[in-house]
């Protein structure tokens, strides 16, 4: 045992936790929401079998699988993963039962509550069309990427709410309703293949079904216009139609629903809450999305954002719950901030990140891009992991304090941070060699900034790399760093 490991063990005992048995119960690799109406995207070795509650799930060529959870799913569930060699691992997962809203809508025409008898034949035909479209076998892996909102506006209806129309209980609402004027564009939240494009279904009016692969489908209802056709391949952000009030709708809005096979799941869990997506500040023609680091908030980046506005950029300072969600889920905040800037009309969008924010950017950029060939500047990124995570990641107190994303930032080659592909965007990296956290100095053998070593911050594909006399925690407030960030965004390289 090395002296560093001895010290780590000692620290774990001093703070009151035993090393043995201190880790949280082992969980399957993946991300998602173990709640009613939720989902889990798991990953295992290719060729493995996965069983959930006795039902075999499909595993794709890369080892990904999806566990869909219906509205009534709750309690302890059994997930079993059997390797190609026959080794079985059993996980007991606890699915949280959510409480759902009750929506009362009164004063409706009675025919809008109970359809007339002559409409039932048409309703049945529509249902068969939708069922065939939903069961279409589409080979795609778009369901694995971060999703973006297909439209923006007030959320007026949520998944699972019990609707009572004119005092009569009806089926739960299966979608997320976004109110916006008729004609507002509706965009694909992720790539996929259109398996249904119908202009006039009885209940849902103009309707598009988009299959993202693995049986995951998005449905877009009440559209006033359809811009796609059956069999067409679309990419994230493509316009597929326009908001309307067709079918049995009480006003212009988008009803966005998601299914995994026959299981109705909550589309709202695949995207960040709309009301936390950042708003632009400034009058610059080019926009910069700013992402803070682990355990920090957007306030930590306020001064840097202000200096970028002084340099002529518009900024969008995006907050995200860094200690509660996984890296893939947190990457959705970056995706939605960039998407919002794109559709606000900024032809060029850049990214500036601190610490773990850079890893969110790298995760997103394997699926997306920066509009107008925007540039990326990363401050103190743990691109190859952090020795701090190596030292404390096995302790239960650390896991509870820092959350699941932190555990993917170790230097272990199997950690997610070390499995990300190379960046294909003009990138500048600035890191420090002055410790902001001297109590961690014993963990490092080479120059570092207190949490990340200089070598860990490097990426071979980066166009620029600078080391400054600054520590990890407040590197974004260093005047030299602010100058270098604005210079790189403007020129695509650092000054000599």
């Amino acid at each position: 045992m090395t002296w560093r490991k001895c010290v780590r063990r000692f620290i774990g005992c001093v703070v009151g936790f035993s090393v043995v048995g201190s880790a949280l119960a082992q969980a399957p690799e993946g991300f998602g929401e173990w709640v009613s109406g939720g989902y889990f995207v798991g990953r295992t070795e290719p060729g493995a079998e996965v069983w959930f509650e006795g039902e075999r799930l499909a595993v794709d060529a890369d080892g990904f699988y999806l566990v869909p959870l219906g509205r009534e799913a709750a309690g302890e569930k059994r997930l079993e993963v059997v390797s190609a060699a026959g080794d079985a691992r059993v996980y007991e997962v606890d699915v949280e039962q959510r409480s759902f809203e009750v929506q009362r809508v009164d004063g409706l025409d009675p025919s809008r509550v109970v359809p007339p008898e002559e409409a039932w034949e048409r309703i049945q035909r529509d249902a068969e069309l939708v069922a065939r479209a939903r069961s279409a076998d589409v080979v795609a892996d778009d369901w694995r990427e971060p999703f973006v909102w297909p439209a923006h506006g007030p959320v007026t209806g949520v998944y699972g709410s019990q609707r009572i129309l004119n005092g009569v209980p009806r089926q739960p609402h299966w979608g997320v309703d976004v109110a916006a004027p008729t004609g507002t564009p509706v965009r694909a939240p992720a790539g996929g293949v259109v398996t249904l494009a119908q202009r006039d279904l009885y209940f849902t009016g103009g309707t598009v079904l988009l299959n993202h692969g693995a049986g995951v489908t998005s449905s877009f209802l009440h559209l006033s216009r359809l811009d796609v056709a059956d069999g067409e391949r679309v990419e994230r952000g493509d316009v597929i139609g326009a908001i309307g009030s067709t079918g049995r709708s009480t006003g212009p809005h988008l009803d966005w629903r998601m299914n995994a096979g026959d299981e109705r799941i909550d589309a709202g869990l695949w995207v960040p809450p709309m009301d936390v997506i950042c708003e632009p500040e400034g009058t610059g023609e080019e926009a910069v999305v700013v992402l803070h680091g682990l355990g920090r908030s957007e306030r930590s980046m306020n001064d840097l954002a202000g200096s970028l506005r002084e340099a002529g950029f518009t900024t969008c300072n995006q907050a995200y719950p860094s200690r509660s969600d996984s890296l893939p889920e947190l990457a959705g905040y970056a995706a939605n901030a960039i998407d919002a800037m794109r559709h606000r009309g900024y032809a060029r969008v850049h990214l500036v990140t601190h610490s773990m924010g850079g890893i969110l950017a790298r995760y997103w950029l394997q699926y997306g891009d920066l509009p107008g060939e925007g540039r990326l500047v990363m401050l103190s990124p743990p691109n190859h992991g952090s020795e701090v995570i190596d030292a404390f990641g096995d302790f239960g107190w650390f896991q509870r304090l820092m959350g699941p994303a932190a555990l993917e930032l170790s230097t272990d080659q199997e950690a997610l941070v070390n499995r990300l592909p190379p960046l294909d965007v003009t990138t500048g990296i600035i890191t420090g060699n002055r410790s902001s956290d001297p109590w961690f100095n014993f963990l490092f053998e080479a120059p570092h900034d207190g949490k990340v070593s200089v070598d860990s911050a490097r990426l071979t594909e980066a166009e620029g790399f600078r080391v400054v006399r600054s520590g990890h925690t407040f590197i974004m407030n260093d005047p030299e760093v602010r100058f270098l960030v604005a210079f790189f965004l403007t020129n695509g390289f650092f000054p000599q």
Side-chain angles (χ1 to χ4, degrees), residues 16-309:
F17 296 90
S18 168
V19 175
V20 179
S22 64
L24 296 178
Q26 190 178 35
E29 179 185 354
F31 62 91
E33 301 276 352
W34 290 104
V35 298
S36 47
Y39 70 98
F40 178 75
V41 176
R43 189 174 190 183
T44 183
E45 63 181 28
E49 293 183 5
V50 178
W51 300 78
F52 183 68
E53 288 293 281
E55 179 179 348
R56 186 172 177 177
L57 304 178
V59 180
D60 71 14
D62 296 319
F64 286 93
Y65 62 92
L66 177 69
V67 181
L69 302 166
R71 183 179 184 270
E72 304 305 320
E76 194 171 271
K77 307 292 182 183
R78 178 186 175 93
L79 177 68
E80 183 176 7
V81 180
V82 182
S83 71
D87 300 321
R89 306 188 77 173
V90 177
Y91 305 92
E92 299 292 341
V93 294
D94 188 38
V95 179
E96 177 187 347
Q97 174 65 67
R98 286 197 289 168
S99 58
F100 296 103
E101 297 180 8
V102 175
Q103 285 186 318
R104 297 179 181 274
V105 182
D106 296 317
L108 295 175
D109 185 306
S111 67
R112 301 185 70 83
V113 179
V114 179
E117 185 175 343
E118 59 270 20
W120 283 106
E121 184 177 344
R122 179 186 172 191
I123 292 169
Q124 182 62 35
R125 287 199 306 269
D126 290 352
E128 291 171 356
L129 273 176
V130 171
R132 283 198 299 271
R134 198 167 277 150
S135 63
D137 185 18
V138 171
V139 178
D141 57 13
D142 304 275
W143 62 281
R144 293 163 18 187
E145 68 184 55
F147 278 47
V148 298
W149 281 94
H152 289 254
V155 175
T156 56
V158 296
Y159 169 93
S161 55
Q162 178 66 61
R163 289 191 158 177
I164 301 177
L165 308 181
N166 289 358
V168 179
R170 308 299 295 173
Q171 273 199 355
H173 182 48
W174 298 117
V176 178
D177 290 342
V178 179
T182 296
T184 300
V186 174
R187 303 176 188 274
V193 175
V194 176
T195 57
L196 179 74
Q198 290 287 322
R199 300 183 183 280
D200 187 25
L201 299 186
Y202 182 82
F203 283 114
T204 59
T207 303
V208 169
L209 262 66
L210 182 60
N211 191 310
H212 307 290
V216 178
T217 59
S218 285
S219 303
F220 310 95
L221 316 182
H222 308 302
L223 302 177
S224 62
R225 188 186 75 238
L226 275 60
D227 295 322
V228 292
D230 288 358
E232 185 176 342
R233 166 79 195 182
V234 299
E235 304 300 334
R236 177 196 335 99
D238 288 349
V239 176
I240 58 176
I243 283 177
S245 187
T246 57
R248 293 164 69 82
S249 168
T250 57
H253 72 285
L254 171 67
D255 184 344
W256 174 32
R257 305 183 178 191
M258 286 187 68
N259 271 59
D262 293 329
E263 199 72 79
R264 298 179 184 270
I265 54 180
D266 186 356
L269 297 178
W270 289 67
V271 286
M274 194 183 301
D275 59 5
V276 305
I277 299 173
C278 59
E279 293 288 334
E281 296 182 75
T283 58
E285 294 183 359
E286 297 184 9
V288 182
V289 171
V290 181
L291 295 175
H292 61 83
L294 174 64
R296 308 297 296 278
S297 75
E298 76 280 10
R299 292 189 297 275
S300 68
M301 304 293 276
N302 278 344
D303 290 346
L304 174 58
S307 70
L308 289 172
R309 290 194 294 275

Side-chain angles (χ1 to χ4, degrees), residues 195-484:
T195 57
L196 179 74
Q198 290 287 322
R199 300 183 183 280
D200 187 25
L201 299 186
Y202 182 82
F203 283 114
T204 59
T207 303
V208 169
L209 262 66
L210 182 60
N211 191 310
H212 307 290
V216 178
T217 59
S218 285
S219 303
F220 310 95
L221 316 182
H222 308 302
L223 302 177
S224 62
R225 188 186 75 238
L226 275 60
D227 295 322
V228 292
D230 288 358
E232 185 176 342
R233 166 79 195 182
V234 299
E235 304 300 334
R236 177 196 335 99
D238 288 349
V239 176
I240 58 176
I243 283 177
S245 187
T246 57
R248 293 164 69 82
S249 168
T250 57
H253 72 285
L254 171 67
D255 184 344
W256 174 32
R257 305 183 178 191
M258 286 187 68
N259 271 59
D262 293 329
E263 199 72 79
R264 298 179 184 270
I265 54 180
D266 186 356
L269 297 178
W270 289 67
V271 286
M274 194 183 301
D275 59 5
V276 305
I277 299 173
C278 59
E279 293 288 334
E281 296 182 75
T283 58
E285 294 183 359
E286 297 184 9
V288 182
V289 171
V290 181
L291 295 175
H292 61 83
L294 174 64
R296 308 297 296 278
S297 75
E298 76 280 10
R299 292 189 297 275
S300 68
M301 304 293 276
N302 278 344
D303 290 346
L304 174 58
S307 70
L308 289 172
R309 290 194 294 275
E310 291 175 2
F313 296 96
T314 292
T315 64
C316 196
N317 193 353
Q318 181 61 57
Y320 63 93
S322 65
R323 295 191 292 183
S324 63
D325 291 344
S326 67
L327 273 173
E329 292 169 287
L330 295 177
Y333 289 81
N336 277 269
I338 294 165
D339 183 72
M341 293 301 98
R342 186 197 310 266
H343 297 304
R344 283 179 179 271
Y346 293 98
R348 199 176 203 194
V349 181
H350 306 285
L351 255 176
V352 174
T353 69
H354 176 230
S355 190
M356 190 176 77
I359 310 307
L360 269 61
R362 287 180 59 200
Y363 188 93
W364 162 241
L365 288 169
Q366 69 181 313
Y367 299 107
D369 59 7
L370 293 177
E373 297 185 350
R375 294 163 179 154
L376 167 65
V377 177
M378 310 168 82
L379 307 181
S380 294
N383 280 320
H384 301 285
S386 168
E387 287 83 350
V388 175
I389 306 301
D390 294 346
F392 302 107
D394 287 339
F395 295 121
W397 61 267
F398 185 88
Q399 296 173 4
R400 289 187 290 270
L401 178 65
M402 302 310 295
L407 304 183
E408 294 289 2
L409 303 180
S410 79
T411 64
D412 190 303
Q413 290 305 301
E414 292 304 310
L416 179 57
V417 69
N418 288 309
R419 302 201 310 261
L420 294 172
L423 286 166
D424 186 21
V425 55
T426 303
T427 301
I429 298 172
I430 306 171
T431 196
N433 61 6
R434 182 178 181 180
S435 178
S436 61
D437 305 88
W439 43 89
F440 290 148
N441 287 355
F442 73 95
L443 299 173
F444 297 90
E445 297 177 339
H448 62 93
D449 65 5
K451 290 191 173 74
V452 176
S453 70
V454 171
D455 284 343
S456 179
R458 296 181 188 274
L459 287 175
T460 57
E461 66 266 28
E463 280 76 10
F465 186 82
R466 295 294 285 265
V467 180
V468 298
R469 286 286 292 164
S470 186
H472 185 93
T473 304
F474 299 110
I475 189 171
M476 73 291 286
N477 295 331
D478 186 301
E480 179 186 4
V481 169
R482 294 187 191 181
F483 166 77
L484 290 172

